[in-house]
Amino acid sequence: MYFYPAPVNKKGMFEVRFHGRGGQGAVMAAQTLAEAAVNEGNYAVAFPFFGAERRGAPVLAFTRIDSKKIFSKTQVYNPDCVVVLDDSLLDTIDVVSGLKPEGIAIINSKEKPEDIDLGKIINTATVNATSIALEILKAPITNTAILGAFAKATGIIKIESLEGSIKRKFGEKLGAKVGERNALAARTAYEKTLMGKSRGVKKLEARKQWLPDYQEIPIGGALIEGKTEAGLIGPGSFIENKVSGWATYRPVRDKEKCTMCLLCWFYCPEGTIHRISDRGDLMTNYDYCKGCGVCANECPVDAIKMVRARV
Amino acid sequence: MKKVITGDHAVAIGAKLCRVEVVPAFPITPQTLIIEHIADFVNDGELDAKFLTMESEHSVMSAAAAASAVGARVFTATSSQGLAFMHEMLYATAPLRLPIVMANASRTLGGPPGIWCEYNDSMGCRDSGWLQLYVEDNQEAMDMVIQSFRIAEDKRVLLPVMPCLDGFVLTHTVEPVDVPQQVEIDSFLPPYNPDIILDPARPAMIGTFMPAEYIMELRRQTAGAVESAKEVIQEINREFTKKFGRDYGGLIDTYRMDDADIALITMGTVTSTTREVVDKLRQNGQKAGIIKLRFFRPFPTHELKKAVSNLSALGVFDRSISYHGGGPVYNEVLSALYGMTIPVIDHLAGLGGRDVTKEQIMKMFELTQKAANGVKVNEINWHNTRGETV
Amino acid sequence: MITLKELSDVNLFTAGHTACPGCGVAMSIRNAIRVLGKDTVVYVPASCAVVFGTTFPYGAWKVPFFHTAFENTGACLTGMQAAFEKKGKKVNVVGFAGDGGTYDIGLQSMSGAAERNDDVLYICLDNEAYMNTGIQRSGGTPFGAWTTTTPVGKNIQGNRRFKKNLGDIVAAHEIPYYATLSIGQPLDFIRKVEKAKNIKGFRFLHMFTPCIPGWKMDPARTVEVTKRAVESGMWTLYEIENGEKKITYKPGKMKSVRDYLLMQGRFRHMSDEDIKTLQMWVCKKWNLHYKEKGAPEVCEIEPPEEHHAVTEEHREMHGP
């Protein structure tokens, strides 16, 4: 069963938006899909949108597939399909924004489609790409597994074509063995993909953004500490940027073992471990913990353990 | 007080009278006298400023930007290759709205290298957001350094300004200059007092990484400031005239244009020579006039349109080439006069410092007159250049 | 001397910045600014630290921040310092530049400020490549290291030149203070920042700052890798005060450079011969710094199981 049984040339252009986090390989997935589509005789383009953020931050990538040359050079606003490489993104980003009513959401999740709440009821496919990747690739890089689910759910591309592109593209960069394994991850995901409809209960509030017009923008873009309807701006305003979604693991400290040597507090690159001076204690604010694990690694008495941030 | 001094000296005195606070400097001919004089002022205790001997022009403009962001009044000077070397920083300083004033001793930008006057150094900075103006004599050089700070620091503008003076023709030529009293300048130019500066007491971030959601508004804002500068320039010219009795006309100046039939748009020192040529033409009964283009940015579109409205033909003097035929001024003028039917012809002369003689200027008027008479002439004319003659 | 306990808990570089998890630069900036305090103004040239520290309209810095270009840290510090001095304000004028911005494109500007002995603090955050643009070789890249411009090819594998000796270049300007730092030695780190803060004239702090994607390593081991660098002699902790050089931390018996290399994917391809070459370079340096011969036998290195790389992943994070 495909959500999209018709071949590309009957439906016109097919547009895909990938949601991932820096480091998960969303761009590579978009490119691999494009290459596979071209190998099937279609025309395809893939391109990234790079934000300013680094590893772990949300990123976007796009693929367009058509039977004829594609001239459009804009971003994709009304995709036929969205692919979500990391289901933690569902909490903060409206991943189905602009998705066509008959469009498909493909989500890396251990849940069934019926248990995924996308804020609207739409065709949804899920696959636990993370566990497949961990098992086959020994790393939580889910881009190839999720492509298997894409092939299964959309029917836009044959799984064999994807396997071919993956082997070539990953093999060329990382060695034939890695290519084979990634192709296997795609095939495994293809077979394990569940299809159904999402739930449509939650209301995702669009993140407010301060968008001053040209008269309101401070002269020369120079900012002092300020507050807008959308929150803080200027020096120190990053404090409103919660980055916990980046974390796969988070530290848990055993107070009994802790000697208050303060090394974790010193090393934490985020500044998310605080001293509570009146109690001579430490507190970790998980809102800002990206789960790097330096604190646990450096603790001289082994008082910190890293645990999965989301189960 | 009258002093017989070089253009460079006049510029240096102008900067001193403005009580500049930080002067980063790097030598380049023919700008050197400017920074040498300022170094003298500082070391003799005549000017209480930080004089910084930087190791390149790029560093000059970097230090200038940083000092300006801290709230200091900053002056420097450069020329040619030096201006090119700091090109990147021109694009940093204008949109960050740092009102630095930098004199440019106009000089050919190589290769092949040369040290004499040409405008291809500053013309290439056209789109940086810097205001630029061209002066005719040493008095104007000094007066415009002073006016430049008023324009740059005006809250409606807040942009860097580049007064350009012709290399050697002014920089190394002495002529009498009326030097104003310090007290007069102090009442004309108040201390620089910006709103947001780098100050630990009130932290600011200046020059942050800026995503696409904001940059267009910032560009539009900068474009608006350049536009606002037009009114400010006129205003300050009027105030300066009232106070010091010297009227430069603001964005443009005109000479014998009231009943003129043909005119030449001139810049810099060639304007001066052309005044004598026009007087001679007038003696011969020819109704010739001069439009002196003082500001190249902002470009005085409205003023030009008005000035040429009764002309039969217009000539444009260009001291650099844009490598697609005409010079940059010609193309700006054509664009400004779009929709008007007046013939406009380009006169390229004086590139690389070749002397622009009265005979050549006569020839420019002669060709312009031909165009006025309906005779077909070339649109672009290379004067005093070997090969076919114009 | 400030101890960890006495160190300020005020975050002048706030949480919520967007550096990669385990970023050695973020760690070093946070702690340097803790010691420097709020009467500080920073200049940051083009680098990751501009992007993860300020993205309009947000910022992590709680002290004044300025940025214009890549190659001009020295000059901008000079300009800021001159303006503050003219205004009679006492402010720590501090630059945080990367290795590319210091060893390469910014060398001239840094040299100018050093030679003029301007009263500023120049901090070089050395992560041994152009990381902001996606891991390209700089003058600070060590021998053998993979970068995207020193790829592991069929004919040429990794960087073929040795890390530039920046310390001697800076010290040759006869400045009052130059020191090397590592986040893995907190007390030494704090002491040097504090010392630099209180000296007048041009001061240079050279910080060793691991880059997780650029060095291809586990983010949890950022601090550990700096310690191994010091133990192996790849990084030495010393200071030069008014021309007098002093080792501030001397490791025990020299560890094989292999221990250090094996932690990082960027070295995983290195041949035994290349490791030997690098080991000899380290031994020479060790000998120079510690005035003792220390050349442990170069052990055989196990060949990597496969050509390690997640280059596409890194490219994706850092932009083209």
Side-chain angles (χ1 to χ4, degrees):
Chain A
M1 180 191 98
Y2 295 139
F3 285 133
Y4 239 95
V8 170
N9 53 6
K10 294 242 173 77
K11 276 274 185 184
M13 196 190 291
F14 191 85
E15 298 180 305
V16 190
R17 183 174 67 214
F18 290 83
H19 290 270
R21 291 186 181 277
Q24 290 175 340
V27 177
M28 190 78 159
Q31 291 177 350
T32 307
L33 173 58
E35 187 178 309
V38 170
N39 289 343
E40 286 189 359
N42 283 306
Y43 194 93
V45 295
F47 54 99
F49 177 76
F50 288 114
E53 295 175 329
R54 314 271 111 174
R55 171 182 275 203
V59 295
L60 291 177
F62 306 93
T63 304
R64 280 196 174 97
I65 304 171
D66 205 343
S67 54
K68 52 186 192 297
K69 182 174 163 85
I70 295 164
F71 291 97
S72 178
K73 292 283 185 279
T74 69
Q75 289 180 33
V76 170
Y77 296 99
N78 297 108
D80 298 276
C81 177
V82 293
V83 179
V84 182
L85 279 78
D86 183 331
D87 62 352
S88 75
L89 293 165
L90 301 179
D91 301 337
T92 50
I93 294 170
D94 183 10
V95 295
V96 294
S97 161
L99 181 68
K100 286 178 185 155
E102 71 281 12
I104 313 160
I106 297 164
I107 307 203
N108 168 20
S109 170
K110 65 183 177 56
E111 309 285 343
K112 293 197 291 284
E114 288 68 27
D115 296 330
I116 301 270
D117 188 353
L118 293 175
K120 42 183 146 174
I121 301 166
I122 41 171
N123 293 329
T124 301
T126 60
V127 68
N128 193 343
T130 307
S131 75
I132 291 170
L134 282 171
E135 196 187 311
I136 298 173
L137 309 173
K138 315 286 178 221
I141 298 177
T142 54
N143 55 354
T144 43
I146 203 82
L147 283 178
F150 178 89
K152 180 68 167 285
T154 63
I156 283 293
I157 196 95
K158 290 194 197 73
I159 183 69
E160 292 77 18
S161 315
L162 273 176
E163 284 172 326
S165 296
I166 290 169
K167 278 185 207 163
R168 199 205 60 73
K169 213 166 159 59
F170 285 71
E172 185 183 74
K173 289 264 174 201
L174 315 169
K177 241 194 266 174
V178 179
E180 294 283 348
R181 272 194 234 150
N182 275 283
L184 178 63
R187 172 65 78 168
T188 309
Y190 179 83
E191 277 152 16
K192 289 189 173 175
T193 302
L194 303 174
M195 285 152 71
K197 297 269 183 192
S198 63
R199 289 195 297 142
V201 180
K202 75 172 167 191
K203 293 275 165 282
L204 247 187
E205 254 180 74
R207 193 173 136 239
K208 277 188 189 161
Q209 201 183 0
W210 177 59
L211 293 170
D213 70 20
Y214 77 96
Q215 296 106 324
E216 286 167 348
I217 208 162
I219 301 229
L223 286 177
I224 53 168
E225 283 181 25
K227 197 169 169 55
T228 71
E229 277 183 13
L232 298 178
I233 55 166
S237 57
F238 258 143
I239 198 74
E240 290 193 334
N241 185 33
K242 309 271 168 81
V243 290
S244 57
W246 299 26
T248 314
Y249 297 94
R250 66 184 204 181
V252 175
R253 186 174 55 104
D254 181 344
K255 280 192 188 183
E256 299 303 311
K257 280 191 181 175
C258 174
T259 61
M260 286 296 290
C261 70
L262 297 177
L263 282 175
C264 59
W265 168 83
F266 180 81
Y267 289 138
C268 175
E270 310 304 324
T272 195
I273 302 173
H274 296 273
R275 282 155 51 171
I276 310 167
S277 43
D278 55 337
R279 281 189 281 152
D281 201 357
L282 294 171
M283 191 193 77
T284 302
N285 186 342
Y286 291 119
D287 283 348
Y288 306 109
C289 176
K290 294 171 188 160
C292 67
V294 166
C295 54
N297 197 57
E298 294 308 318
C299 179
V301 293
D302 242 354
I304 304 173
K305 292 270 171 288
M306 298 302 288
V307 301
R308 276 299 286 263
R310 289 179 300 276
V311 224
Chain B
M1 183 182 46
K2 285 258 188 252
K3 278 189 164 187
V4 182
I5 51 176
T6 63
D8 274 357
H9 197 167
V11 165
I13 294 173
K16 185 183 82 169
L17 288 168
C18 292
R19 296 187 185 278
V20 295
E21 296 171 296
V22 176
V23 183
F26 187 83
I28 179 167
T29 304
Q31 151 268 31
T32 36
L33 301 178
I34 300 176
I35 62 165
E36 287 166 7
H37 282 298
I38 292 179
D40 283 343
F41 297 151
V42 172
N43 283 10
D44 289 340
E46 289 176 41
L47 172 64
D48 181 17
K50 294 280 162 197
F51 185 80
L52 310 170
T53 52
M54 304 308 290
E55 84 298 329
S56 76
E57 284 92 353
H58 192 284
S59 284
V60 163
M61 193 41 65
S62 298
S68 183
V70 173
R73 178 172 287 162
V74 183
F75 176 81
T76 186
T78 192
S79 180
S80 183
Q81 320 280 136
L83 187 61
F85 192 25
M86 62 169 71
H87 193 68
E88 177 192 26
M89 294 309 296
L90 300 181
Y91 279 73
T93 42
L96 292 183
R97 310 293 290 278
L98 302 170
I100 299 155
V101 172
M102 173 173 67
N104 183 53
S106 300
R107 165 185 155 182
T108 185
L109 175 60
I115 55 171
W116 304 276
C117 185
E118 183 171 336
Y119 293 159
N120 65 345
D121 55 355
S122 51
M123 287 290 152
C125 309
R126 188 184 74 162
D127 297 336
S128 63
W130 276 66
L131 307 186
Q132 47 174 281
L133 65 107
Y134 295 77
V135 301
E136 181 181 344
D137 57 30
N138 294 353
Q139 183 72 56
E140 192 183 6
M142 175 188 290
D143 290 348
M144 285 318 292
V145 167
I146 296 161
Q147 287 194 35
S148 289
F149 276 110
R150 269 294 298 275
I151 297 162
E153 293 170 6
D154 190 289
K155 293 269 189 272
R156 293 163 288 177
V157 180
L158 285 172
L159 286 168
V161 182
M162 186 193 302
C164 303
L165 67 161
D166 291 2
F168 293 105
V169 190
L170 286 185
T171 59
H172 287 62
T173 299
V174 297
E175 61 181 351
V177 173
D178 194 353
V179 180
Q181 298 293 310
Q182 183 66 56
V183 56
E184 292 177 290
I185 300 302
D186 287 346
S187 71
F188 178 76
L189 179 69
Y192 174 46
N193 196 11
D195 288 340
I196 297 184
I197 53 170
L198 300 170
D199 179 4
R202 187 173 170 252
M205 33 193 244
I206 303 177
T208 55
F209 185 74
M210 190 175 270
E213 288 93 335
Y214 299 97
I215 197 77
M216 273 196 77
E217 283 70 25
L218 197 83
R219 291 279 179 265
R220 188 170 175 188
Q221 184 195 77
T222 308
V226 175
E227 199 57 32
S228 304
K230 291 182 180 174
E231 183 48 41
V232 173
I233 289 163
Q234 306 284 44
E235 229 176 83
I236 288 168
N237 180 66
R238 285 193 290 272
E239 195 185 321
F240 188 90
T241 307
K242 211 168 141 196
K243 196 165 181 69
F244 298 97
R246 291 187 291 273
D247 183 0
Y248 292 107
L251 290 160
I252 61 168
D253 193 14
T254 54
Y255 183 66
R256 303 192 83 157
M257 284 298 289
D258 287 347
D259 60 341
D261 188 42
I262 58 166
L264 189 64
I265 292 183
T266 59
M267 288 169 93
T269 52
V270 163
T271 311
S272 220
T273 316
T274 309
R275 288 177 196 271
E276 290 189 9
V277 174
V278 161
D279 287 346
K280 187 140 188 233
L281 291 171
R282 286 276 173 171
Q283 280 169 17
N284 300 341
Q286 204 175 345
K287 288 184 175 172
I290 303 172
I291 299 168
K292 173 182 167 188
L293 188 63
R294 299 187 69 240
F295 279 82
F296 188 66
R297 281 291 179 274
F299 196 81
T301 303
H302 173 74
E303 288 70 17
L304 269 187
K305 275 184 153 162
K306 214 172 130 200
V308 305
S309 58
N310 291 321
L311 296 179
S312 303
L314 176 67
V316 176
F317 162 68
D318 253 310
R319 202 158 193 164
S320 64
I321 174 75
S322 196
Y323 292 122
H324 72 291
V329 184
Y330 175 62
N331 287 287
E332 293 276 343
V333 169
L334 284 185
S335 165
L337 303 188
Y338 176 76
M340 297 179 81
T341 51
I342 172 175
V344 184
I345 57 172
D346 196 16
H347 302 288
L348 291 157
L351 276 62
R354 188 166 293 189
D355 201 23
V356 183
T357 62
K358 284 183 191 165
E359 288 70 26
Q360 286 170 48
I361 298 167
M362 281 284 195
K363 187 82 187 169
M364 292 175 199
F365 276 107
E366 189 190 313
L367 287 167
T368 309
Q369 185 63 58
K370 270 191 185 168
N373 298 344
V375 179
K376 193 172 160 24
V377 292
N378 290 335
E379 284 169 358
I380 293 147
N381 301 282
W382 288 82
H383 288 267
N384 190 21
T385 312
R386 289 181 293 278
E388 311 89 76
T389 51
V390 290
Chain C
M1 191 182 109
I2 305 178
T3 62
L4 274 186
K5 279 208 161 46
E6 290 155 357
L7 198 56
S8 167
D9 201 17
V10 177
N11 265 342
L12 292 171
F13 189 80
T14 66
H17 65 73
T18 56
C20 301
C23 175
V25 167
M27 223 179 259
S28 301
I29 285 177
R30 276 180 39 68
N31 284 305
I33 205 85
R34 271 209 252 244
V35 179
L36 295 169
K38 67 176 178 49
D39 286 331
T40 298
V41 172
V42 302
Y43 180 77
V44 186
S47 59
C48 281
V50 167
V51 181
F52 73 66
T54 69
T55 294
F56 192 89
Y58 310 114
W61 300 94
K62 296 201 84 170
V63 294
F65 164 94
F66 189 50
H67 161 72
T68 58
F70 198 170
E71 66 281 55
N72 58 2
T73 307
C76 285
L77 297 182
T78 298
M80 292 201 286
Q81 167 58 22
F84 281 122
E85 207 176 309
K86 180 74 182 72
K87 286 171 177 294
K89 286 188 198 171
K90 180 82 191 86
V91 177
N92 301 316
V93 175
V94 183
F96 284 98
D99 50 294
T102 306
Y103 282 73
D104 299 349
I105 192 168
L107 186 66
Q108 170 181 312
S109 183
M110 184 278 290
S111 171
E115 168 274 315
R116 290 185 298 268
N117 196 26
D118 289 326
D119 188 19
V120 299
L121 171 55
Y122 192 112
I123 297 180
C124 174
L125 302 159
D126 188 349
N127 54 23
E128 306 196 319
Y130 292 89
M131 300 310 186
N132 191 36
T133 42
I135 319 162
Q136 291 85 18
R137 175 203 192 269
S138 80
T141 303
F143 177 82
W146 163 92
T147 69
T148 56
T149 50
T150 52
V152 181
K154 291 192 184 81
N155 296 336
I156 304 170
Q157 292 85 36
N159 185 32
R160 305 318 298 166
R161 288 289 301 160
F162 298 94
K163 189 179 176 77
K164 191 194 272 189
N165 184 350
L166 185 70
D168 279 4
I169 295 171
V170 177
H173 291 79
E174 298 178 3
I175 57 168
Y177 192 61
Y178 168 88
T180 59
L181 298 82
S182 153
I183 199 78
Q185 264 77 16
L187 293 180
D188 186 66
F189 182 100
I190 297 166
R191 186 185 64 80
K192 284 170 176 168
V193 178
E194 195 192 356
K195 189 167 187 176
K197 177 185 171 182
N198 294 316
I199 291 174
K200 203 172 155 50
F202 188 85
R203 298 139 280 156
F204 191 108
L205 294 179
H206 194 170
M207 297 182 179
F208 189 64
T209 55
C211 169
I212 303 305
W215 294 12
K216 296 184 173 186
M217 51 174 277
D218 176 357
R221 302 175 84 179
T222 302
V223 175
E224 194 186 337
V225 80
T226 67
K227 289 180 187 164
R228 288 216 201 173
V230 172
E231 298 300 322
S232 65
M234 279 292 278
W235 188 253
T236 33
L237 291 170
Y238 64 101
E239 59 189 3
I240 303 173
E241 200 177 347
N242 296 317
E244 211 162 300
K245 183 176 160 185
K246 203 173 96 194
I247 295 291
T248 59
Y249 172 83
K250 186 183 171 306
K253 191 179 179 316
M254 184 189 191
K255 297 245 168 57
S256 162
V257 74
R258 214 168 57 111
D259 289 347
Y260 172 71
L261 302 181
L262 275 176
M263 288 179 83
Q264 305 166 58
R266 63 173 172 157
F267 296 116
R268 212 166 289 173
H269 59 274
M270 279 175 77
S271 66
D272 289 352
E273 199 191 331
D274 274 1
I275 291 175
K276 203 170 167 181
T277 306
L278 182 60
Q279 183 68 66
M280 282 169 71
W281 178 82
V282 174
C283 288
K284 205 173 117 193
K285 189 154 90 101
W286 181 281
N287 188 20
L288 210 73
H289 281 294
Y290 304 125
K291 306 214 184 323
E292 66 173 58
K293 300 245 187 265
E297 284 170 26
V298 180
C299 317
E300 288 296 309
I301 186 167
E302 302 139 37
E305 187 195 341
E306 65 200 24
H307 182 65
H308 174 96
V310 265
T311 52
E312 276 306 310
E313 172 202 349
H314 298 141
R315 205 177 282 285
E316 183 173 319
M317 268 180 307
H318 287 277

